[in-house]
Amino acid sequence: MTTLEQGHDTRTRILAAARQLFAERGYAATSLADIAAAVGLTKTAVAYHFHPKDRLAAELLAPCADDMLDLLGAEFADRAAFVTALVDFTVRHRAVIRLVMEDLGGADDAPPGSPGEAIRTFRDEIFAKLVGAEPTAEARLRGWAVLGALQWGVVQTLDLPEDTVRTTLTTATLAI
């Protein structure tokens, strides 16, 4: 194995450990030392690849953000098709969603140019796809209920198999 491949493998292992620990403990409660211990490295070795810790979060968020842009840019036959795709996205990225929802909260008050502003923009665009341009009061309530069910449904069930979470959330959110 070349040095470049070793470095890539180390980064991959660090990212996997960070994703797991952030999902279990939350971003704020996970230190670089915790991640280093999980990977069998020193804190200095982890910091070499990801310092400050925010770089880890940014790298974990990037694929999720790319998938979100794809989801928002796609056309769907109807609301049910969009909800099903949204559930799939949410379950696939549930560890990252926990990071976003529990540790990067405050999106409504986030200043321009911050990660919170990006989160708010994504949330608002998802909501608009759920409820349409001029939603009734009932549609608005259903839209927020779907988003709440997805948020808490994935954040509080990280211990359950993805298929179970996906099936149950799809059934529940399509009924809302």
Side-chain angles (χ1 to χ4, degrees), residues 18-75:
R19 181 182 299 107
Q20 181 67 33
L21 291 171
F22 291 162
E24 291 172 1
R25 303 177 185 177
Y27 176 78
T30 303
S31 68
L32 288 181
D34 296 331
I35 296 165
V39 180
L41 297 171
T42 65
K43 180 180 171 186
T44 304
V46 173
Y48 170 79
H49 292 281
F50 298 102
H51 185 74
K53 185 171 80 168
D54 293 352
R55 285 184 53 206
L56 265 169
E59 194 149 335
L60 290 173
L61 287 170
C64 181
D66 290 343
D67 283 358
M68 174 61 70
L69 291 172
D70 290 344
L71 177 72
L72 292 173
E75 294 294 325

Side-chain angles (χ1 to χ4, degrees), residues 103-172:
D103 294 308
L104 299 176
D108 286 325
D109 301 322
S114 69
E117 179 188 34
I119 293 165
R120 179 178 61 235
T121 300
F122 284 143
R123 181 205 60 204
D124 292 349
E125 288 188 33
I126 291 168
F127 183 77
K129 274 199 167 231
L130 282 170
V131 302
E134 294 184 31
T136 63
E138 180 182 273
R140 286 180 47 227
L141 182 56
R142 280 194 338 260
W144 288 120
V146 166
L147 291 179
L150 291 176
Q151 172 187 334
W152 292 109
V154 296
V155 167
Q156 298 298 326
T157 60
L158 288 165
D159 60 320
L160 298 178
E162 279 191 16
D163 288 343
T164 300
V165 176
R166 181 178 292 106
T167 300
T168 303
L169 281 177
T170 300
T171 302

